[in-house]
Amino acid sequence: NAGVTQTPKFRILKIGQSMTLQCTQDMNHNYMYWYRQDPGMGLKLIYYSVGAGITDKGEVPNGYNVSRSTTEDFPLRLELAAPSQTSVYFCASSDRGGGGYTFGSGTRLTVV
Amino acid sequence: KQEVTQIPAALSVPEGENLVLNCSFTDSAIYNLQWFRQDPGKGLTSLLLIQSSQREQTSGRLNASLDKSSGRSTLYIAASQPGDSATYLCAVLSNDYKLSFGAGTTVTVRA
């Protein structure tokens, strides 16, 4: 029972580079979310999806893109990385809007 | 926009003392409220989930209460242990299915 799996766990990017953070869940959850956590701060919602083919912006979407072609996968794309995107990124899923959330272990990204 | 505040930001207690962590939110139109634990450099572990129709939830030494009308939740941890040292996050699910987090309370339990 893997739950929510995020890859990679760590990554260093140079300014202007692009990358995709992967997130996969094996619980057949419809709802999936991407959050970022900056030091000493709470988690901020970047994007979320309520089902395959449906995505919407959260609180801090600028500089990111998502897609949801399957129920299992919800990748987060960073285009033209900036130092302000240095953060820890968490993916989460929920079986329904009112259900509990399961989080992945996070991706620690540094942009230099 | 839902705002979630956690007080205090940090707490240090001797082993055996009871812990009281507070969470307040600005919009009472919530679906549920969830408490998480986060260890340094780790992900989030769900502790308790309270639906909007519930007043409290209990799991072992943990008890969480919810007063939706006043926008408050309290997490009680009885007879604290050094292993309880972590950051505790409160998260509120609004009716638009967006989960909003507080900044957390960092707890240190001294042996």
Side-chain angles (χ1 to χ4, degrees):
Chain A
N1 55 348
V4 178
T5 302
Q6 290 183 239
T7 57
K9 294 190 183 303
F10 303 94
R11 184 71 185 269
I12 298 175
L13 275 182
K14 293 184 178 179
I15 294 172
Q17 287 185 320
S18 300
M19 76 164 294
T20 299
L21 280 65
Q22 302 291 345
C23 176
T24 300
Q25 53 92 7
D26 62 358
M27 298 170 285
N28 202 34
H29 285 176
N30 285 321
Y31 292 75
M32 295 188 75
Y33 306 80
W34 275 106
Y35 289 88
R36 61 177 286 173
Q37 185 179 34
D38 299 317
M41 307 289 285
L43 280 72
K44 294 188 183 299
L45 181 64
I46 305 171
Y47 270 96
Y48 68 105
S49 169
V50 300
I54 306 170
T55 63
D56 205 351
K57 295 178 181 179
E59 186 180 359
V60 289
N62 292 343
Y64 307 95
N65 276 300
V66 294
S67 60
R68 184 95 181 272
S69 57
T70 66
T71 299
E72 295 77 20
D73 301 308
F74 190 39
L76 178 71
R77 178 83 176 162
L78 277 71
E79 306 281 2
L80 299 175
S84 61
Q85 293 178 305
T86 293
S87 189
V88 181
Y89 292 83
F90 288 102
C91 178
S93 73
S94 174
D95 62 347
R96 62 186 189 280
Y101 285 67
T102 301
F103 278 78
S105 58
T107 295
R108 189 172 297 273
L109 176 68
T110 302
V111 181
V112 297
Chain B
K1 179 184 176 230
Q2 181 74 268
E3 301 283 348
V4 182
T5 303
Q6 291 188 245
I7 294 173
L11 188 59
S12 179
V13 299
E15 183 177 3
E17 193 164 299
N18 296 334
L19 289 164
V20 180
L21 309 181
N22 297 300
C23 172
S24 62
F25 47 95
T26 55
D27 186 351
S28 62
I30 67 169
Y31 208 98
N32 61 40
L33 183 145
Q34 195 163 1
W35 283 93
F36 293 89
R37 170 185 171 135
Q38 185 176 30
D39 294 291
K42 302 292 185 183
L44 279 69
T45 301
S46 178
L47 297 174
L48 291 168
L49 171 68
I50 311 175
Q51 300 293 348
S52 62
S53 59
Q54 298 176 314
R55 298 285 292 182
E56 67 176 346
Q57 278 285 349
T58 298
S59 176
R61 293 184 295 110
L62 277 61
N63 173 275
S65 66
L66 173 64
D67 185 342
K68 197 173 71 166
S69 61
S70 68
R72 294 181 183 179
S73 176
T74 302
L75 178 66
Y76 301 91
I77 303 178
S80 61
Q81 305 168 357
D84 294 328
S85 297
T87 296
Y88 292 83
L89 296 166
C90 168
V92 174
L93 182 66
S94 301
N95 287 342
D96 59 359
Y97 298 130
K98 291 181 183 176
L99 193 64
S100 300
F101 282 83
T105 295
T106 299
V107 171
T108 303
V109 180
R110 307 186 303 272

